[in-house]
C-alpha cells in the first residue's frame, strides 16, 4: 500500500525556468492538497483539488503558479519563471472523502525546490 | 499575521516524563484543531484532532486539551519516548473539512 509519492525529491532550477512538481495520491484518494514550507516556518496552504476540479486555491499566488489534478495521472504543481523566493519545500497531501471530512491528510515526503 | 502560533520553537524532555506542547490561535472562527508530527526528510503525519464541542481528546499516550475561551490548546505526551523526538505542528480550520492553517512547529527532543 504505497503512500503519497512526490517526485522529484529535489529539484534545482535557474531563475526564469519552469518547475513541475508531481504528486501521486494514495490509492483510492480523490482529494489532493499542496502546501509550501519556507525555512523556519510552518506549512502554508496553497491549493485543494479533487479530480479535475480546483476546490480552493486561496493560498496560491495569482501569477506563475498553477495546479491540476487530471482524471488520470498525478497532480501537478507548476511554477513558471521561478524566482529565488520560490525556493522552499513543497508538500502534497491526499485524503479520501471520509478522511477529508475530518481534515485527516496523508503527506508525501516533499519536493525541495532550489532556485539558483 | 500568524493565525496559529507555537511560541516555543523547541522543547527538551527526559524520557518517561510528560511533554507539553502549547499552541495559541487568533481566529475565533476556528472550530477544529489537529496536531501533526514530522520527522526529518518525511512529510507530516496526523496525530490527533479535537473539535470545539470538546475540551479533551485522548488517544493512547497523546491527549489534546482545548480552552476555547483562551484560544489555547495543548498536546500532552505521557510518558515521553525517544521516538517521539520530532517537530510537532499545531493546525486549525474553520470546519472539519475547511483548509488547514498550520503553526510554525515545535521541535521536541526526548532525552534517553
Amino acid at each position: 500500500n504505497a503512500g503519497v509519492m512526490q517526485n522529484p525529491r529535489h529539484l534545482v532550477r535557474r531563475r526564469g525556468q519552469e518547475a513541475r512538481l508531481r504528486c501521486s495520491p494514495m490509492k483510492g484518494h480523490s482529494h489532493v492538497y499542496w502546501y509550501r514550507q519556507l525555512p523556519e516556518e510552518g506549512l502554508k496552504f496553497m491549493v485543494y483539488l479533487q479530480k479535475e476540479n480546483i476546490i480552493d486555491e486561496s493560498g496560491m499566488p495569482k501569477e506563475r503558479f498553477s495546479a491540476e489534478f487530471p482524471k488520470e495521472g498525478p497532480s501537478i504543481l507548476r511554477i513558471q519563471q521561478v524566482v529565488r523566493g520560490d525556493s522552499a519545500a513543497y508538500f502534497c497531501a491526499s485524503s479520501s472523502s471520509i478522511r477529508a471530512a475530518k481534515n485527516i491528510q496523508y503527506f508525501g515526503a516533499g519536493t525541495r525546490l532550489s532556485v539558483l | 499575521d500568524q493565525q496559529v502560533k507555537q511560541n516555543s520553537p523547541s522543547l527538551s524532555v527526559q524520557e518517561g516524563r510528560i511533554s507539553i506542547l502549547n499552541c495559541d490561535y487568533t481566529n475565533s472562527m476556528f472550530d477544529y484543531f489537529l496536531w501533526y508530527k514530522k520527522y526529518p526528510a518525511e512529510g507530516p503525519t496526523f496525530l490527533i484532532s479535537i473539535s470545539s464541542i470538546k475540551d479533551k481528546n485522548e488517544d493512547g499516550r497523546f491527549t489534546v486539551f482545548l480552552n476555547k475561551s483562551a484560544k489555547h490548546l495543548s498536546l500532552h505526551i505521557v510518558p515521553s519516548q525517544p521516538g517521539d523526538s520530532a517537530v510537532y505542528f499545531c493546525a486549525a480550520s474553520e470546519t472539519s473539512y475547511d483548509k488547514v492553517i498550520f503553526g510554525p512547529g515545535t521541535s521536541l527532543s526526548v532525552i534517553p
Side-chain angles (χ1 to χ4, degrees):
Chain A
N1 227 358
V4 177
M5 303 300 293
Q6 289 189 248
N7 67 82
R9 291 294 307 274
H10 300 275
L11 182 60
V12 180
R13 285 288 177 265
R14 295 194 181 279
R15 279 180 297 170
Q17 290 184 322
E18 178 181 286
R20 279 185 176 238
L21 288 65
R22 293 175 185 76
C23 170
S24 295
M26 285 179 71
K27 189 175 179 181
H29 285 189
S30 59
H31 302 250
V32 165
Y33 313 80
W34 285 93
Y35 294 85
R36 175 165 64 176
Q37 184 180 26
L38 296 170
E40 310 302 324
E41 294 187 17
L43 287 82
K44 304 283 187 201
F45 169 81
M46 297 182 75
V47 62
Y48 164 31
L49 310 103
Q50 290 185 38
K51 283 285 186 181
E52 299 184 278
N53 291 306
I54 296 175
I55 307 301
D56 183 346
E57 56 180 349
S58 57
M60 192 91 101
K62 295 284 182 272
E63 297 176 354
R64 303 189 297 108
F65 285 73
S66 62
E68 62 175 10
F69 187 20
K71 190 176 179 182
E72 303 289 339
S75 175
I76 305 286
L77 179 68
R78 185 178 173 209
I79 311 172
Q80 296 178 289
Q81 299 172 342
V82 295
V83 301
R84 288 222 172 103
D86 297 333
S87 296
Y90 291 83
F91 289 94
C92 166
S94 74
S95 190
S96 64
S97 294
I98 292 174
R99 293 292 196 178
K102 296 181 180 180
N103 254 334
I104 297 174
Q105 301 171 16
Y106 298 83
F107 281 81
T111 293
R112 273 137 192 92
L113 172 65
S114 297
V115 180
L116 304 179
Chain B
D1 62 335
Q2 242 178 18
Q3 297 185 68
V4 178
K5 302 178 184 184
Q6 294 177 258
N7 292 324
S8 297
S10 62
L11 176 68
S12 285
V13 170
Q14 208 72 31
E15 180 179 3
R17 299 287 187 108
I18 184 171
S19 294
I20 300 176
L21 294 96
N22 292 305
C23 176
D24 298 289
Y25 60 96
T26 57
N27 187 345
S28 56
M29 297 298 291
F30 285 151
D31 217 37
Y32 193 73
F33 305 89
L34 311 98
W35 285 92
Y36 278 80
K37 177 170 79 171
K38 184 182 181 304
Y39 294 117
E42 295 183 12
T45 304
F46 170 77
L47 203 52
I48 193 168
S49 62
I50 188 168
S51 79
S52 61
I53 60 172
K54 293 185 171 183
D55 54 18
K56 176 183 172 182
N57 189 24
E58 197 172 341
D59 183 0
R61 296 185 298 113
F62 302 90
T63 303
V64 56
F65 295 91
L66 175 63
N67 183 334
K68 218 167 176 237
S69 61
K71 295 193 181 74
H72 178 82
L73 63 155
S74 60
L75 176 69
H76 292 210
I77 307 173
V78 183
S80 301
Q81 300 173 354
D84 296 330
S85 297
V87 176
Y88 288 79
F89 291 102
C90 173
S93 59
E94 292 189 14
T95 66
S96 64
Y97 47 85
D98 211 342
K99 69 181 180 191
V100 178
I101 308 297
F102 283 82
T106 295
S107 178
L108 173 66
S109 296
V110 180
I111 304 159

